[in-house]
Amino acid sequence: MTSKPPTPDPAAADSNRVGGDAWIWRGSTTLQASREATVGAREFLQAHHLPDAELGSWELLLAEACNNAVLYVDPAKPETHHWELHLVVAADRVTARIIDHSAGFEWPETAGLPDDDSESGRGLFIITALTDYRQYRRSADGNRLTLERRLPAAVTSELADMRRRLAQTETTLDEMTEELAASFESLSAIFRFTAESRQTATLEEFGTRMLEHLATVTGADCGMLRIVSPVTGALTTLAHHGCEAMADCQPDHSPVPPEAAAVRTRQDQWIEATTDTVSVEHGSASIQAGLIHPFYDGDQLMGVLSLGRKRAEPMHAGDVSVIHTFAEFFAQHLLSRRQAEAAVQASAVRREIELAATIQRSLLPRSLPNLPHFSAVGHCESALMVGGDFYDLMPWDTNGYLFVIADVMGKGVGASMMAAVTRSIIRSLPQIDQSPASLLERAARLLYADFEHLEMFVTIAVGMVDTKRSLIRVSNLGHCPVLICSPDGILTSAEPEKPPLGLEEDPHYSETSVPLVPGTRILAYTDGLTDPRDHRTHFETPEDVARWFGEIVRTGASAAAIKSALLDRLGSDSPTANASPLVDDQTFLVIACDPS
Amino acid sequence: MNIETQHPTLVISALTELTALTASELKAAVRLRFTAGLKDIDFNCAGLGFIDSSGLGTLISLQKLAIEHGGKFRLLAPGPQVLQVLELTRMHRVFEIVQS
């Protein structure tokens, strides 16, 4: 039995070949199995989004066909007790094939309906009525019933649309799979790279290893990593990989135009075979595809990472993702390294400052000597923890006392060291020289070479309180005025008459002499008293200091009282003093002459 | 499947499908329950999702049974799937169908 088959459709053939639209059921020759096959077939067709009417027709006609396959089997031949149902969904039709091993039957030329009261004989009519094509072949190796039913036009169109969407979904899935694989590869590479990075000693080595990993993961033939120099601000090559044979990837060259474009636009630049930007710059281009990626810390350009391929295969989205991830990772590493270096440097500077401060503290007398008829107090507060100020007070032979105040120009350990040297020289000389001027002349000759070599100098005032001759003699080399005030307020200012110590190899100095009377007060100070500083009161000029000193001496204040008043005037004890660092050291020495 | 007697009618209901697999069981149960005094058979199709040609044959045999007892056979509330089969095989002209 055959009926005219519908015109073959290439799309249907294709769909059969690609698979996924075919369904096969195999089972035993029982009505239970027949029903299960029919229900399974309906579910398969439902999964292909056939409308309910189509599903109902197929369930009914397959029920009839499958029942025939199991009802005509010979119970005495168990080897024939199996059968198969095949279903294929094409673009415009569904085809079923039933293969059984029963005795079979003669397919009638026409399958009509029986009498109304007949309880059987409608199965073949139903199959015929619901199919467009039928073929039944009986044979010794199995009977084959082929049934086809065209899909309604709307369903065909919908199926075609669904196939397109399915194809799109598969493409999307492929892309997602590739993306996932790339992400996994990226993560794996980063983990490996992170583990290795702990063993890299230098940033260059770190960058080189990163390029090697990136080249492996992305299939690049060469790579270049340039970073912005923190010193010059220019892009400089930190690391490169595989550039030896690449004419257009030379570490020694300045950044190529695509790199400059990446920096200028803040966007990735793609190298493609059709773009000859690189080859124009460097002649024989060997990079056919690549990516140039600028990376930033916030708005601050940190560097440019470039990867290139010899073959004209553009970087995929997964490759780009990996390159971006590595660049971000490197940027974080670079920031971390720089912060660590800054911390080490700050630590070194802090240690130097602490060392210098220790030296400077050692210059100051732990306690001023207890001299008959004299009282003396001193104060030294350093700017930024360290400076070159110092003061000193010592007996001078049997004639009286010698005081020193000095300020080495400069800061840090160097200034402190020169202050220490100067102090030691001065301390060694009073036994030899009989006047401040001659003492300083000798000191100048001894220290000149060192000061000249270090390009430093010291402002210094040395005073002698000559109790035998009742004189105060001061020699001042470029230092702040030394103020000498009698109890009745007569003020003498020993002004700097010569350049600071260290500027002249063999100088001749002069002195200021003032009669020593009971109640005389001496104030020697450094220029820190008149330098401006935030939130702290200070003297505007040396004349302000002199005026203030004359006034307090007239009150008969002791050395300690003058010191206390001066600190109050300077605001050293105010709550905001610690928050307002000094611009310059503040040092002063107050001596009171009170013979009994 | 549920079979109950509402004299003089035997009411069959709660069948989800009527096929070659279930037809024999239904016929045997009805013959057992179609006792003296009964003459009509109502087959309630509510919930019946599928019927094949063997099921149709069963309905015809039930109709014959009712007629033999001087009664009548009715199909109550057949759904679209069942109606499709009835119309395809012209049996909608043979059975008394009550939609509600």
Side-chain angles (χ1 to χ4, degrees), chain B residues 53-75:
Chain B
S53 64
S54 297
L56 286 176
T58 303
L59 294 183
I60 291 168
S61 71
L62 295 180
Q63 185 180 44
K64 286 179 181 173
L65 184 63
I67 291 172
E68 285 171 6
H69 287 76
K72 61 183 179 181
F73 176 80
R74 297 191 305 172
L75 285 179

Side-chain angles (χ1 to χ4, degrees), chain A residues 389-413:
Chain A
D389 283 13
F390 71 91
Y391 63 82
D392 207 356
L393 180 68
M394 68 200 86
W396 174 40
D397 201 7
T398 57
N399 298 323
Y401 309 100
L402 182 139
F403 66 86
V404 182
I405 189 155
D407 182 1
V408 175
M409 292 299 106
K411 290 280 186 293
V413 174

Side-chain angles (χ1 to χ4, degrees), chain A residues 478-501:
Chain A
H479 199 78
C480 297
V482 175
L483 302 174
I484 305 159
C485 191
S486 66
D488 54 2
I490 297 173
L491 187 74
T492 301
S493 178
E495 296 288 335
E497 295 178 351
K498 294 289 183 178
L501 191 71

Side-chain angles (χ1 to χ4, degrees), chain A residues 150-269:
Chain A
R150 285 182 180 175
L151 292 168
V155 174
T156 305
S157 170
E158 187 180 349
L159 270 179
D161 187 46
M162 286 180 60
R163 285 177 201 282
R164 279 193 299 274
R165 290 206 301 271
L166 182 62
Q168 288 170 355
T169 304
E170 285 176 348
T171 303
T172 304
L173 275 174
D174 288 345
E175 290 172 353
M176 288 174 69
T177 304
E178 184 195 349
E179 182 76 21
L180 272 174
S183 298
F184 175 75
E185 188 63 39
S186 172
L187 274 175
S188 302
I190 285 177
F191 285 144
R192 288 196 304 272
F193 181 45
T194 305
E196 289 178 10
S197 67
R198 297 194 190 94
Q199 300 163 5
T200 54
T202 65
L203 196 60
E204 288 79 1
E205 190 183 347
F206 184 84
T208 304
R209 294 292 296 140
M210 183 182 79
L211 287 176
E212 289 170 2
H213 276 281
L214 261 180
T216 303
V217 174
T218 63
D221 297 299
C222 64
M224 180 95 72
L225 176 61
R226 300 192 208 261
I227 61 171
V228 175
S229 164
V231 179
T232 65
L235 272 180
T236 55
T237 303
L238 177 75
H240 54 90
H241 170 74
C243 297
E244 295 73 16
M246 310 291 270
D248 39 14
C249 181
Q250 292 304 309
D252 297 337
H253 288 168
S254 300
V256 295
E259 288 177 294
V263 172
R264 189 176 64 252
T265 63
R266 302 173 66 90
Q267 290 180 343
D268 289 354
Q269 299 295 307

Side-chain angles (χ1 to χ4, degrees), chain A residues 337-381:
Chain A
R337 281 226 180 189
R338 285 181 174 169
Q339 285 168 357
E341 288 170 1
V344 168
Q345 196 160 4
S347 172
V349 169
R350 188 165 59 249
R351 277 200 297 277
E352 185 186 1
I353 289 173
E354 289 168 357
L355 176 61
T358 302
I359 295 171
Q360 189 184 25
R361 278 195 299 274
S362 71
L363 300 179
L364 301 173
R366 286 188 175 80
S367 63
L368 289 172
N370 187 16
L371 304 173
H373 316 304
F374 286 85
S375 57
V377 290
H379 173 77
C380 183
E381 183 181 357

